[in-house]
């Protein structure tokens, strides 16, 4: 699976939107972009995934650049419960079993 | 329960002791994964089962680590002669499908809360 690059940490205020960036310049045409997050003392949980088009669900939105070399996870209105480590992961058809996690972005939410 | 269950939640072992960590995946899920997570790091893949078959054990750090899933549901990760460097959170995940092709690109993994192992 191709590699992703994320900032180590980001800080935002409660009730404001948060944009979490991810660079994946070596992405291939069939790689899906997945986002997971890990709350303190919990296992990772699925957030969203997409291939080319922007995606929305009840948790977040995923904006994918036209060249697919980057993507942004958008939390529309952050709450304190969104404080977590967010992982951007590429999934390939012929890639590794399971998910390959990097260090992710530690999101801090200020009240 | 509806989610992935792991036990025990915490385990303290003396160096050299054997430990067994249990994972109950979501009922009916074909795929099961074990991960190791050191403090401040992302989870690292250990091994993968499709039903009872262990298809990938490339991430197991040494032959002291052994995993099984004999009936294709519950899985146990065993660590023999524990060392201090084995201290970590051990995470189990399951997913519904396990066939080749698009499942790998689209499938969601469901994680348990992990077992925190401390080796003294």
């Amino acid at each position: 699976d191709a590699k992703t690059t994320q900032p180590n940490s980001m800080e935002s205020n409660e009730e404001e939107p948060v944009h979490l960036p991810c660079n994946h310049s070596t992405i291939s045409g069939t790689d899906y972009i997945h986002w997971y997050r890990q709350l303190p003392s919990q296992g990772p949980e699925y957030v969203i995934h997409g291939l080319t088009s922007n995606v929305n669900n009840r948790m977040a939105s995923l904006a994918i650049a036209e060249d697919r070399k980057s993507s942004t996870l958008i939390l529309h209105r952050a709450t304190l419960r969104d404080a977590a480590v967010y992982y951007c992961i590429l999934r390939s058809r012929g890639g590794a079993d399971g998910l390959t996690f990097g260090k992710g972005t530690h999101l801090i939410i200020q009240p | 329960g509806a989610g992935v269950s792991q036990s025990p939640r915490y385990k303290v072992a003396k160096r050299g002791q054997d430990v067994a960590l249990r994972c109950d995946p979501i009922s009916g899920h074909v795929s099961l994964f074990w991960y190791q997570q050191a403090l401040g790091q992302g989870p690292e893949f250990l091994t993968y089962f499709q039903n009872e078959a262990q298809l990938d054990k490339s991430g197991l750090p040494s032959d002291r680590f052994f995993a099984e899933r004999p009936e294709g549901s519950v899985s146990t990760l065993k660590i023999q002669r524990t060392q201090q460097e084995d201290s970590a959170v051990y995470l189990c995940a399951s997913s519904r499908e396990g066939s080749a092709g698009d499942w790998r690109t689209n499938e969601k993994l469901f994680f348990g809360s992990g077992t925190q192992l401390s080796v003294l």
Side-chain angles (χ1 to χ4, degrees), chain A residues 18-76:
Chain A
V18 179
H19 291 233
L20 295 161
C22 180
N23 286 322
H24 29 78
S25 58
T26 60
I27 191 171
S28 74
T30 56
D31 288 349
Y32 277 73
I33 302 158
H34 287 244
W35 283 82
Y36 281 72
R37 73 178 185 181
Q38 187 170 21
L39 302 169
S41 301
Q42 298 292 319
E45 66 173 341
Y46 168 84
V47 177
I48 200 166
H49 78 286
L51 181 62
T52 56
S53 303
N54 295 344
V55 184
N56 300 295
N57 66 21
R58 63 174 182 81
M59 288 181 74
S61 296
L62 176 60
I64 302 172
E66 197 168 330
D67 64 3
R68 299 209 328 123
K69 293 182 185 292
S70 66
S71 60
T72 303
L73 180 71
I74 302 166
L75 307 179
H76 294 286

Side-chain angles (χ1 to χ4, degrees), chain A residues 1 30-32 34 36 38 41-46 49 87 91-103, chain B residues 9 33 35 37 40-43 45 48 55-56 91 100-114:
Chain A
D1 295 311
T30 56
D31 288 349
Y32 277 73
H34 287 244
Y36 281 72
Q38 187 170 21
S41 301
Q42 298 292 319
E45 66 173 341
Y46 168 84
H49 78 286
Y87 298 98
R91 295 278 272 161
S92 306
R93 286 194 70 173
D97 295 311
L99 301 168
T100 302
F101 290 86
K103 290 191 176 181
Chain B
R9 188 75 175 89
F33 304 84
Y35 284 82
Q37 186 170 25
Q41 304 294 315
F45 170 81
Y48 161 59
L55 299 186
D56 187 348
L91 295 161
D102 285 342
W103 82 269
R104 187 176 275 117
T105 54
N106 269 301
E107 194 68 0
K108 304 173 192 174
L109 269 63
F110 296 85
F111 284 81
S113 294

